C-alpha cells in the first residue's frame, strides 16, 4: 500500500520530469508532421475563435481636391520712430520703439 506522502512525492518527480522533457529544446514540428516532442500525434483543440470575425468597412470615396494654399508669410513688424514728448514731468527724447 502506498501512503499519501509517497504518492505526492512520486507525482512531484513525475511532474518535474514532464516539465523537463517539455522544456528541453528540440526541433519544431507541427502536429501533423510527427507530433510534439516525443512523437505524440494529437491534433490541436480548438474551442472557438479568439476574436470576432473581421468586419471590412467600405473605403472612403476618393476625392481629388486641390492642395491647400501655402502658409502665409508675414514679415515682422517694422520699428516705429517715437517723437520726443513729455511723460508727466519728464521729457523723453525721440527713440525707436
Amino acid at each position: 500500500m502506498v501512503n499519501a506522502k509517497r504518492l505526492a512525492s512520486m507525482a512531484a518527480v513525475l511532474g518535474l520530469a514532464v516539465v523537463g522533457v517539455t522544456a528541453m529544446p528540440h526541433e519544431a514540428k507541427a502536429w501533423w508532421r510527427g507530433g510534439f516532442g516525443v512523437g505524440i500525434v494529437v491534433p490541436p483543440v480548438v474551442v472557438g475563435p479568439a476574436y470576432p470575425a473581421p468586419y471590412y468597412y467600405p473605403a472612403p470615396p476618393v476625392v481629388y481636391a486641390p492642395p491647400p494654399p501655402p502658409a502665409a508669410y508675414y514679415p515682422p513688424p517694422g520699428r516705429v520712430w517715437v517723437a520726443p514728448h513729455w511723460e508727466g514731468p519728464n521729457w523723453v527724447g525721440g527713440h525707436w520703439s
Side-chain angles (χ1 to χ4, degrees), residues 2-60:
V2 178
N3 62 7
K5 285 187 179 183
R6 186 173 178 123
L7 182 63
S9 64
M10 288 189 328
V13 169
L14 180 64
L16 287 174
V18 168
V19 168
V21 168
T22 305
M24 193 170 55
H26 58 278
E27 183 180 348
K29 294 182 183 177
W31 65 269
W32 59 87
R33 292 265 191 189
F36 296 109
V38 293
I40 301 171
V41 179
V42 178
V45 178
V46 178
V47 176
Y51 300 101
Y55 179 75
Y56 297 103
Y57 295 97

